Amino acid sequence: MGFMDDIKKAGKKLIRKNILGAPFVTEMCDTCANMYRLGWDERNGGNISYMLDEKEVAEYLDLDEVLRTIPLMGVNAAAFDVSPLIGKIFIVTGTGKYFKNVKDDPETNLGIVRIAKDGKGVELLWGYEGGGRTTSEFPTHMMCHMARLAVDPENRVVMHSHPTNTLAMNYVHELDEKKFTHTLWEMCTECIAVFPDGVGILPWMLCGTNEIGEATSKKMQEFRLVVWSMHGIYGAGKTLDETFGLIETVEKAAQIYMLTAHLPRVNTIKDEDMVKLAELFGVKYRKDFLDMK
């Protein structure tokens, strides 16, 4: 590389924007803070991955400058094909990191990574100061991203959390996808319009394994929301706001259910009314999840 090339490269570095002011960093910080405030992500419970636009990231970082390469944790990296994601860039919460600390110290608790060419690790472009690495659930996230992208090319976010009432509902309600979804739809008028595709459910499984990653991604082919029984929930969407809103709506419905489940049911939203709602908002809903005759 010649002298002028060095000057041009240095010039590019000088005019780059401050990464801490990047919308994708501030949005991640705000989302993590909200999730912690709501009690969804105690300690280091929960994780988020957000696929970024390469051109937008290049406004803040030198994409040729790889700080270090990090092997994937949790799911065996060789057990699934990540080729659709090679070269893709994500901002991801770190393993063992507390959501309550993300906003005050994003450089330690978040990382921006690119999926390596060999598909067995990630290239760190920013963050994870002090030797951090991606959440151990990132391989599961990758499987879910691939599943959702095959259905919706605009999908960008996978979010995992432990919402209190949703989790509580797991212990007192049948863990049947149709019945669980139908109950949630009955709790709030907005529910069938917000998640018309319903909620998928997995039985209790050991987290951080290849099996739960594959099972979750398979469910993600038809659901944007997947409950991990007695554990938490996975959500997927185009933006952080959309994905947060999906989980937030399920959690509100679960809260109403938990507040009323022990009381005699006097009123409810009828199935024919749900159909009217779905048709009004023009959403494609799971007709097989209703009890229409």
Side-chain angles (χ1 to χ4, degrees):
M1 182 178 288
F3 176 75
M4 288 306 298
D5 289 326
D6 289 336
I7 293 295
K8 289 178 181 178
K9 188 174 182 180
K12 286 183 181 179
K13 287 184 178 180
L14 288 174
I15 62 173
R16 284 200 170 87
K17 303 174 185 177
N18 183 353
I19 186 69
L20 294 179
F24 46 83
V25 172
T26 58
E27 285 176 36
M28 280 285 282
C29 290
D30 289 341
T31 301
C32 288
N34 271 330
M35 293 171 78
Y36 178 76
R37 176 181 58 83
L38 291 167
W40 297 0
D41 296 275
E42 72 292 338
R43 201 172 182 269
N44 61 318
N47 29 78
I48 305 173
S49 62
Y50 176 16
M51 186 187 298
L52 305 177
D53 178 78
E54 183 176 306
K55 291 182 180 178
E56 186 176 6
V57 178
E59 295 178 19
Y60 301 89
L61 299 174
D62 181 352
L63 301 184
D64 294 325
E65 187 177 333
V66 176
L67 303 181
R68 55 190 165 95
T69 300
I70 305 172
L72 292 174
M73 294 174 59
V75 176
N76 185 346
F80 67 103
D81 179 16
V82 304
S83 55
L85 297 180
I86 287 175
K88 300 294 185 183
I89 299 174
F90 296 84
I91 183 167
V92 189
T93 51
T95 185
K97 302 303 181 183
Y98 292 23
F99 271 34
K100 71 183 181 68
N101 297 330
V102 172
K103 193 161 188 173
D104 289 336
D105 189 5
E107 291 172 291
T108 298
N109 296 285
L110 299 175
I112 294 177
V113 299
R114 179 170 53 210
I115 309 303
K117 292 180 180 179
D118 63 4
K120 296 181 180 180
V122 296
E123 299 169 338
L124 180 63
L125 303 176
W126 173 85
Y128 298 147
E129 290 195 354
R133 54 199 300 169
T134 57
T135 169
S136 60
E137 298 291 351
F138 188 48
T140 295
H141 281 237
M142 294 167 67
M143 292 184 190
C144 291
H145 276 289
M146 289 189 288
R148 288 308 306 168
L149 285 168
V151 177
D152 179 2
E154 294 184 5
N155 189 87
R156 291 292 180 272
V157 177
V158 171
M159 184 179 294
H160 172 53
S161 64
H162 308 155
T164 307
N165 292 284
T166 304
L167 187 53
M169 189 173 166
N170 285 196
Y171 292 90
V172 298
H173 193 286
E174 289 181 76
L175 293 174
D176 173 88
E177 291 171 345
K178 175 180 177 178
K179 293 177 181 178
F180 200 89
T181 296
H182 191 274
T183 294
L184 293 173
W185 281 351
E186 287 181 308
M187 294 301 106
C188 302
T189 295
E190 64 179 343
C191 284
I192 196 169
V194 174
F195 53 98
D197 41 347
V199 177
I201 298 178
L202 291 177
W204 187 92
M205 299 176 70
L206 187 63
C207 56
T209 65
N210 190 53
E211 288 73 23
I212 199 169
E214 290 179 344
T216 308
S217 63
K218 185 176 181 179
K219 289 290 184 185
M220 283 277 180
Q221 293 172 10
E222 56 177 319
F223 300 104
R224 290 173 298 160
L225 292 156
V226 179
V227 167
W228 280 9
S229 295
M230 282 70 75
H231 182 142
I233 192 169
Y234 261 72
K238 298 179 178 66
T239 65
L240 286 169
D241 267 354
E242 179 190 27
T243 314
F244 180 92
L246 284 170
I247 297 174
E248 183 179 34
T249 306
V250 167
E251 173 63 0
K252 179 63 174 288
Q255 181 182 22
I256 294 171
Y257 174 79
M258 293 304 298
L259 286 170
T260 60
H262 62 292
L263 301 171
R265 180 72 68 86
V266 177
N267 302 302
T268 193
I269 302 173
K270 299 176 182 178
D271 283 31
E272 52 263 37
D273 295 327
M274 293 186 203
V275 171
K276 292 176 185 176
L277 281 164
E279 291 178 348
L280 175 65
F281 286 97
V283 295
K284 186 178 180 181
Y285 63 98
R286 290 290 299 260
K287 295 181 181 179
D288 56 322
F289 278 14
L290 295 178
D291 295 322
M292 302 291 289
K293 294 180 181 179

